[in-house]
Amino acid sequence: MTARVIAVEPFDLVVFGATGDLAVRKLIPALYHRFADGQIPGSARVIGASRRALTNEAFRDMARDALETHVPAGQRDATSVAAFVARLSYVAIDAQGETGWPELVAALGPQVNIRVFYLATGPDLFGPICEQLAAHGLASEARVVVEKPIGKSLESARAVNDAIGAAFPEERVYRIDHYLGKETVQNLMALRFANALFEPLWNSAHIDHVQITVAETLGVEGRAGYYDTAGALRDMVQNHILQLVCLVAMEPPTNLSADAVRDEKLKVLKSLVPLTDGSALEHSVRGQYRAGASAGGPVRGYLEELGNAASHTETFVALRADIANWRWAGVPFYLRTGKRLANRVSEIVVAFRPIPHSVFDASAGPIVANRLVIRLQPDEGVKLWLMIKDPGPGGMRLQHVPLDMSFATVFGVRNPDAYERLLMDVVRGNQTLFMRRDEVEAAWSWVGPILDAWTESREAPRQYTAGTWGPSAAIALIERDRRTWHEEE
Ligand code: BG6
């Protein structure tokens, strides 16, 4: 099956931080894929900008290297790589000084194309860059794209949003949460709202609880400097995981327009029961990995990776969240994420309530409640766990088996990276998969008191051995409610 591709309008995209990790690993490969699929018109231009003095040719060489490293050989060819890099140019700019701005103005020329500024820089530069863009007359009509972290707290998020808002109105600000660009995450909306089957059951009368797991096997790698100032709650829960909670829990929006969807997500965030002081400590578990094993080899602990510093930063968090509204009252959402866990797996598990009465004899075996498992990565797909009769004679014996739809088997196409979809959405002017300012701030409002409770408790995070499923307290967190974390049988 081939994917349908509709070309976007011509655009000028300026990537600040063009020599950085995000640009090299994600943005340049994503743009290449869209270009090779014929979605980017010939007159589109991509201008890299950063402090480093580079010629256009040197930037193109860097982009070529990025494609060789980050796009599998079977997915690129020399002709389209050459044609793609020919669209690239470069301007050296000092974000906080005057150098390079006149050159950028000259390179862009009078505006004809859609104009997008992607700030693939640290958040401390968002304000200064936006200010300079406005001062040089580049902000009017243009769109700006920013990434997390948007602040470290509600207060600092407001300051970042104010600085962006001083130059760009909200309808031209695109705050990326790359989880919203993942195919399976969007599929959650298709599953819920394009099928008659689930929505009537999607409430506390039929759903017992929901689990969201985002488990990684990697450690903090080269990002310890940033990560130690953030931790798992800020790095993953405040954004990615709460966005997943919103998509699972929101009411059906009137349509898929940006504000219709974002209004519904915001209501979920505002309905989260606050976790403060005692309830925050009771409903959360923090962990930090110590040395262990991963991918068959020994790995160092978090503190060793940091250089044997003392740190209370959590690399794992598990939480019980509750949503106080008519649909979800009494349905806990168990959330967990961590680095150096046993497997790389991200999934949403919707656990239905048990049947009210069994007509089967004990010899049929236990009847396990239905579960809908949405696998975000790897092996993207959806499984609906059902009870069926074990085939063959010998009486009624029941088995718990999945109706299994693996996207790779059904569609057989390359699963596009989230950034491909999101970049093209910016060009199309579609904000549906981007976070609005009030969503980001509502998420901080919920997360802030948990962070405060941890700080006040002065307790160290619980240690867990790298390559395991986190501290045993995380298992206890769900088991004391007589439930268990989902494991594939
Ligand atoms: C990022 C976090 O936002 O998401 C990282 O900062 C994390 O710490 C990453 O590793 C996970 O993304 P993905 O797409 O690999 O699940």
Side-chain angles (χ1 to χ4, degrees):
M1 223 183 281
T2 46
R4 213 157 26 111
V5 172
I6 301 169
V8 295
E9 301 274 306
F11 62 88
D12 289 339
L13 167 66
V14 181
V15 179
F16 287 89
T19 56
D21 191 54
L22 177 66
V24 167
R25 275 190 316 113
K26 294 289 184 183
L27 304 182
I28 292 171
L31 288 165
Y32 168 72
H33 279 301
R34 295 297 86 227
F35 176 79
D37 277 355
Q39 198 166 22
I40 297 187
S43 52
R45 295 185 301 172
V46 177
I47 302 175
S50 84
R51 206 177 333 182
R52 268 167 66 183
L54 286 182
T55 59
N56 285 337
E57 223 16 79
F59 181 59
R60 290 180 188 135
D61 287 345
M62 201 204 80
R64 228 178 261 114
D65 289 348
L67 296 180
E68 263 169 39
T69 316
H70 298 290
V71 177
Q75 293 176 16
R76 59 182 146 84
D77 67 86
T79 319
S80 55
V81 168
F84 172 72
V85 298
R87 334 236 96 260
L88 307 179
S89 57
Y90 184 81
V91 181
I93 292 189
D94 176 3
Q96 287 165 301
E98 279 311 308
T99 323
W101 291 97
E103 287 78 1
L104 179 63
V105 172
L108 285 167
Q111 178 151 351
V112 276
N113 286 347
I114 291 165
R115 192 175 275 175
V116 178
F117 296 105
Y118 197 123
L119 312 191
T121 63
D124 47 326
L125 293 183
F126 293 170
I129 294 176
C130 288
E131 202 178 306
Q132 289 281 27
L133 288 170
H136 290 88
L138 295 173
S140 53
E141 309 300 318
R143 300 168 193 167
V144 68
V145 186
V146 293
E147 283 265 348
K148 64 173 258 275
I150 297 178
K152 282 193 69 183
S153 60
L154 178 58
E155 203 184 20
S156 52
R158 280 190 179 139
V160 173
N161 282 329
D162 283 345
I164 299 168
F168 292 89
E170 185 64 29
E171 63 275 12
R172 290 195 268 114
V173 179
Y174 291 75
R175 293 180 193 80
I176 287 207
D177 183 310
H178 78 281
Y179 268 57
L180 294 180
K182 289 185 191 273
E183 278 292 315
T184 347
V185 175
Q186 294 166 58
N187 235 306
L188 192 56
M189 284 202 267
L191 207 63
R192 283 193 61 193
F193 305 131
N195 294 289
L197 211 58
F198 299 112
E199 211 44 32
L201 303 180
W202 213 256
N203 55 52
S204 61
H206 302 284
I207 293 178
D208 177 72
H209 72 280
V210 175
Q211 300 180 14
I212 300 180
T213 296
V214 178
E216 299 183 272
T217 49
L218 293 177
V220 292
E221 316 295 306
R223 299 166 72 230
Y226 149 75
Y227 194 87
D228 200 53
T229 64
L233 190 68
R234 287 191 178 95
D235 186 49
M236 296 297 288
V237 177
Q238 187 273 340
N239 36 73
H240 307 321
I241 292 189
L242 286 184
Q243 286 291 318
L244 297 179
V245 169
C246 287
L247 293 180
V248 173
M250 71 182 182
E251 294 301 313
T254 324
N255 53 44
L256 285 190
S257 69
D259 279 339
V261 172
R262 300 189 297 183
D263 286 347
E264 295 308 335
K265 289 198 292 171
L266 182 66
K267 284 185 209 161
V268 174
L269 292 167
K270 289 192 164 173
S271 309
L272 286 168
V273 176
L275 292 178
T276 51
D277 308 319
S279 69
L281 299 181
E282 189 188 340
H283 293 310
S284 71
V285 173
R286 281 191 305 160
Q288 189 185 70
Y289 62 85
R290 57 172 167 242
S294 180
V299 292
R300 294 185 302 164
Y302 178 71
L303 296 182
E304 287 128 14
E305 284 185 35
L306 271 188
N308 287 317
S311 166
H312 279 187
T313 299
E314 79 286 358
T315 59
F316 174 97
V317 60
L319 294 162
R320 174 187 159 142
D322 283 87
I323 300 174
N325 64 19
W326 272 56
R327 191 189 278 263
W328 295 113
V331 180
F333 280 61
Y334 299 98
L335 317 175
R336 65 175 169 167
T337 183
K339 305 252 178 223
R340 285 274 187 247
L341 296 184
N343 265 324
R344 175 171 181 254
V345 54
S346 297
E347 64 188 10
I348 299 170
V349 178
V350 179
F352 290 91
R353 289 194 184 281
I355 53 164
H357 166 72
S358 173
V359 298
F360 302 95
D361 292 339
S363 61
I367 300 183
V368 185
N370 299 135
R371 282 188 170 191
L372 177 69
V373 180
I374 300 154
R375 176 67 78 96
L376 308 180
Q377 62 190 28
D379 312 327
E380 291 87 348
V382 176
K383 281 186 190 173
L384 180 61
W385 287 84
L386 302 169
M387 296 305 298
I388 61 152
K389 179 187 167 296
D390 205 1
M396 180 64 86
R397 285 190 311 271
L398 298 174
Q399 262 198 49
H400 194 216
V401 290
L403 271 181
D404 188 354
M405 185 172 73
S406 145
F407 292 171
T409 318
V410 176
F411 298 105
V413 289
R414 181 184 70 85
N415 221 342
D417 187 74
Y419 282 92
E420 296 179 42
R421 164 76 199 250
L422 295 174
L423 278 165
M424 293 302 100
D425 274 0
V426 178
V427 175
R428 289 189 202 97
N430 182 351
Q431 289 183 303
T432 302
L433 297 178
F434 298 83
M435 292 179 298
R436 205 167 55 191
R437 172 177 184 154
D438 48 8
E439 283 180 81
V440 174
E441 293 179 6
W444 276 121
S445 298
W446 188 71
V447 159
I450 305 174
L451 290 164
D452 293 344
W454 288 349
T455 310
E456 273 156 36
S457 83
R458 294 169 187 269
E459 274 172 29
R462 292 161 197 270
Q463 299 281 299
Y464 62 97
T465 304
T468 65
W469 278 110
S472 52
I475 297 171
L477 176 84
I478 188 166
E479 295 205 337
R480 70 174 179 235
D481 293 346
R482 297 178 194 280
R483 299 178 175 111
T484 50
W485 291 109
H486 178 78
E487 268 178 53
E488 291 284 284
E489 290 154 39

